[in-house]
Amino acid sequence: MYGNILFAAGGSIIPTILMIGLVVVVFFFMFRSQKKQEKQANDMRNNLQIGDEITTIGGIIGEIVRIKDETVTIETGKDRTKIRVLRSAIRSVDVHASDKYGTAPAKEVEPKEVKVEAVQATKKKKKKKSDVAEDIVVEPTEAPVEEVKEENN
C-alpha cells in the first residue's frame, strides 16, 4: 500500500525524497535564524549600561538610570518620570552610553556592609526642672503683636 503512494507521483521515489528534504532544510534555517535572534537579544539585554537610551516592546523610549537583577528603571520625558520595566521587555538599545558620553558612566554600586563595633553608652545627667527653665531665653520683639497677626493672614 505504501509503495503505491510513493510511486504515484511519477513512478519514482526521488520526487518524494526531494520534497521531504526541502521541508527539512526550510525548518532547519527557520529555527537556526530564530535561535540566532534570541541569542542576540539576550546579549543586548545582558550588556545594558546606565545611560543607554532604550525602546521597550510597548514603545516607551527612555534612558536607563538603574539596573537591578531582572528589572531596569528608565527615565522618560522632560518631567523625568521613572518607570521600572523587566529586562525582557526591552526591544532595542537606540544610543549606547559610551557613544553618548564618550566613555561608559560608572555602574551603580551596591552599598558595602560596614561592621559596627560595640559602643559603650554613657548616661547623661538628668536636668532638674529649674535647670530647664534657665535654658529658655525669651527675647521681646520690636513689632507689636497685632501687626504680626495681620501679616500672617
Side-chain angles (χ1 to χ4, degrees):
M1 178 173 170
Y2 294 113
N4 293 339
I5 294 173
L6 294 176
F7 293 111
S12 175
I13 196 167
I14 294 175
T16 308
I17 293 175
L18 289 176
M19 188 70 82
I20 293 172
L22 182 63
V23 170
V24 168
V25 169
V26 168
F27 277 115
F28 173 74
F29 282 113
M30 281 183 10
F31 287 123
R32 183 175 170 221
S33 64
Q34 183 179 2
K35 290 213 180 234
K36 187 177 180 181
Q37 287 176 349
E38 287 177 9
K39 184 180 178 186
Q40 287 175 344
N42 286 335
D43 289 344
M44 179 265 305
R45 290 179 182 129
N46 290 332
N47 294 326
L48 292 173
Q49 294 179 347
I50 294 173
D52 287 351
E53 287 186 18
I54 61 157
T55 302
T56 65
I57 292 172
I60 299 171
I61 300 171
E63 182 177 333
I64 297 176
V65 293
R66 178 180 292 159
I67 299 173
K68 190 174 187 182
D69 296 331
E70 289 301 312
T71 61
V72 174
T73 305
I74 62 172
E75 202 172 75
T76 63
K78 292 181 181 177
D79 58 351
R80 297 182 168 232
T81 304
K82 292 184 180 174
I83 301 172
R84 199 172 85 191
V85 296
L86 292 173
R87 279 185 190 243
S88 59
I90 296 173
R91 178 182 10 187
S92 64
V93 176
D94 302 327
V95 179
H96 290 282
S98 58
D99 297 340
K100 191 179 352 177
Y101 299 115
T103 60
K107 290 194 175 190
E108 193 169 304
V109 180
E110 295 290 325
K112 295 180 180 178
E113 285 188 32
V114 178
K115 285 189 176 182
V116 179
E117 295 179 13
V119 178
Q120 185 177 4
T122 58
K123 269 190 171 179
K124 294 183 179 179
K125 289 184 179 179
K126 290 186 179 180
K127 292 186 176 182
K128 297 178 185 175
K129 289 183 182 178
S130 60
D131 292 341
V132 173
E134 290 175 5
D135 290 345
I136 300 172
V137 177
V138 178
E139 295 180 14
T141 60
E142 294 179 16
V145 176
E146 295 173 353
E147 290 178 12
V148 173
K149 286 183 181 177
E150 288 177 5
E151 290 176 5
N152 289 337
N153 290 335

